[in-house]
Amino acid sequence: MNRCALASAILLAGCSSGPRLVSTPNLDVVRMERLPAPTRPDLVAADRASFIGPLDTIGVDVFNVPDLTRELRVDASGRISMPLIGEMDVRGKTANEVAAMIEAQLDRYVRNPQVTVNVRNSVSQVVTVDGSVNEPGLYPVTNQTTLVRAVASAKGLSEFGRSEDVVILRTVNNRRIAGLYNLDAIRRGTYEDPPIFANDLVIVGDSKERRMFQDFLAIAPLLSAPLIVALQ
């Protein structure tokens, strides 16, 4: 059974005397007495590259060279400064990539340098949640962050928030992409809870981005999938 089918499974215990439910193309009916426990892979989110950005704090550990082991804060332009090396641009690189860069530069001064870089504090990997939520703001992004979780981080919809008026704005290859989502449809399992990435903007409620979808919704008011458009 695929993940979508399992997510759509129905508990049928005690219903043998009622009408028999059958599977559909979008729903697998599963007969079991209780909701199954997740397996180990189900509990681990897929790995996602995490990139270093301005104002992040990283730890640099040079094996057997304590004078070069230190904690560094990335400046606003995305650079760090290391003894013997000077300034390095680490913006948009992973911790492993930065470690390899430092090793290559230290090779002139240290025999077979072994460098480990860890992100101690990240302020660049965030999503902005705005609009009709109880606590708009910037929230950390991990490989487990999804739209529903991002909205929950902002303490959910406000009094006038509408679950069908949720827009994700994202830049892909220097092009702005907007997606209109319905939180209730996600909760019902109509379609997947989309992953959220750093620099995404989630807007709940009325906005100029939401109004762009009016013409599409006039044609197809009941959407069974998110509506994605590229902005001009």
Side-chain angles (χ1 to χ4, degrees):
M1 183 188 305
N2 60 33
R3 292 177 60 188
C4 293
L6 182 58
S8 304
I10 293 181
L11 180 64
L12 295 177
C15 66
S16 57
S17 60
R20 181 176 178 83
L21 299 179
V22 296
S23 297
T24 70
N26 297 320
L27 183 71
D28 267 358
V29 176
V30 181
R31 293 186 177 275
M32 54 183 65
E33 294 183 357
R34 62 181 61 87
L35 196 65
T39 64
R40 182 176 297 186
D42 296 325
L43 298 174
V44 181
D47 195 17
R48 184 193 300 178
S50 181
F51 301 104
I52 295 170
L55 307 183
D56 288 350
T57 301
I58 63 174
V60 178
D61 185 6
V62 184
F63 183 65
N64 277 341
V65 189
D67 289 343
L68 295 178
T69 296
R70 58 197 58 221
E71 188 170 276
L72 300 170
R73 190 181 189 195
V74 183
D75 67 20
S77 64
R79 291 176 169 80
I80 60 172
S81 181
M82 283 279 297
L84 303 178
I85 298 175
E87 287 193 347
M88 301 179 64
D89 188 350
V90 299
R91 176 182 44 191
K93 295 180 172 59
T94 66
N96 287 339
E97 289 171 343
V98 174
M101 291 169 55
I102 295 174
E103 287 178 348
Q105 293 294 323
L106 287 180
D107 195 53
R108 294 174 293 176
Y109 310 100
V110 179
R111 178 176 294 180
N112 297 324
Q114 299 178 42
V115 179
T116 302
V117 173
N118 293 297
V119 179
R120 300 285 174 79
N121 182 43
S122 177
V123 298
S124 63
Q125 299 289 297
V126 295
V127 56
T128 302
V129 184
D130 200 6
S132 300
V133 291
N134 287 308
E135 292 189 9
L138 303 176
Y139 294 92
V141 169
T142 70
N143 62 345
Q144 295 181 324
T145 303
T146 63
L147 176 58
V148 170
R149 290 181 177 183
V151 172
S153 296
K155 301 299 185 289
L157 303 183
S158 64
E159 179 181 358
F160 301 105
R162 292 162 55 90
S163 64
E164 67 269 27
D165 290 344
V166 182
V167 174
I168 299 176
L169 286 175
R170 178 176 300 158
T171 299
V172 181
N173 291 325
N174 293 320
R175 192 178 192 186
R176 291 290 271 174
I177 307 293
L180 177 64
Y181 290 84
N182 185 323
L183 295 181
D184 285 340
I186 294 172
R187 293 176 182 128
R188 290 194 301 267
T190 304
Y191 51 84
E192 70 171 3
D193 187 8
I196 293 295
F197 295 86
N199 300 322
D200 280 356
L201 171 59
V202 175
I203 306 174
V204 179
D206 185 46
S207 65
K208 65 178 183 180
E209 291 81 9
R210 171 63 180 83
R211 292 191 289 271
M212 290 186 310
F213 292 95
Q214 288 301 114
D215 292 340
F216 297 101
L217 295 176
I219 300 173
L222 298 176
L223 295 176
S224 59
L227 185 57
I228 312 295
V229 299
L231 306 184
Q232 300 297 326

